[in-house]
Amino acid sequence: GPCHEAAFGAATARQEAFRGLRLAGVLGALNERRAVSWATKDGLLLALIAEFQAGPERDRSLWAEVLLVVFRPMLREIRAGIWSNHLESGELDQCVIETFLHELTTARWRRYVACNLKLRLQRSVIGHLCRLERSLGRLESLPSADLELLAEASWVLEHGSSSLSEQIAEDPAR
């Protein structure tokens, strides 16, 4: 609507990636499979996230709405992959959405935005559900091999490399 276009127009002055586009054009470009480069998509995503994080407070719900639309396929995929004996479907949906919006507030990636966000979101949602299960006394201990695999995955997510494996391999005490 007109309010969205006005907010987008103001953001265009702050975000070079938006210049020459309308909001519908940004959504179309991010939905395009082949014609738009990943670098261009990253630029658009970074601009949307920057507006969500630092734009005027009155426009924050607009940017949240736009980001939820952009990432809807990813959010649905993540949601389809989780279940809980203790939360109803709507509560799981809400957990994914709240975690997504929280991750956006702290996002600091410069490349591979969608991939990084998906990995962080999966990790955060699963962590939340594990804490819930543990608080209810229903999460059993994991075998140590699984814990090492989880530690490796966490390290890669945080540092973008498999340096932990290399450090473990180099450490004769392990």
Side-chain angles (χ1 to χ4, degrees), residues 96-108:
V96 171
I97 291 169
E98 285 178 10
T99 304
F100 171 73
L101 293 173
H102 173 74
E103 289 299 328
L104 289 175
T105 63
T106 61
R108 298 285 179 254

Side-chain angles (χ1 to χ4, degrees), residues 39-159:
T40 299
K41 287 182 179 185
D42 269 354
L44 292 170
L45 290 172
L46 288 169
L48 287 171
I49 292 169
E51 286 301 310
F52 175 77
Q53 290 176 342
E57 188 65 35
R58 69 180 181 278
D59 297 335
R60 183 164 269 198
S61 63
L62 162 68
W63 301 116
E65 192 176 320
V66 169
L67 287 160
L68 285 165
V69 168
V70 167
F71 285 103
R72 183 175 183 214
M74 180 190 77
L75 295 170
R76 292 180 85 188
E77 178 186 330
I78 290 171
R79 172 55 188 92
I82 61 172
W83 57 271
S84 171
N85 291 329
H86 310 294
L87 294 176
E88 294 184 24
S89 180
E91 292 172 311
L92 286 172
D93 295 345
Q94 191 65 31
C95 173
V96 171
I97 291 169
E98 285 178 10
T99 304
F100 171 73
L101 293 173
H102 173 74
E103 289 299 328
L104 289 175
T105 63
T106 61
R108 298 285 179 254
W109 309 292
R110 291 284 150 226
R111 295 176 35 187
Y112 311 113
V113 176
C115 294
N116 282 312
L117 182 58
K118 182 177 182 179
L119 291 172
R120 288 292 301 235
L121 183 58
Q122 288 172 322
R123 180 177 176 213
S124 294
V125 168
I126 289 170
H128 174 75
L129 293 175
C130 285
R131 284 188 298 279
L132 174 68
E133 295 286 335
R134 192 173 292 115
S135 72
L136 296 171
R138 296 192 171 112
L139 184 65
E140 296 179 17
S141 297
L142 294 172
S144 62
D146 289 345
L147 289 174
E148 287 180 21
L149 198 60
L150 285 172
E152 175 70 23
S154 295
W155 179 270
V156 170
L157 283 174
E158 291 297 321
H159 303 286

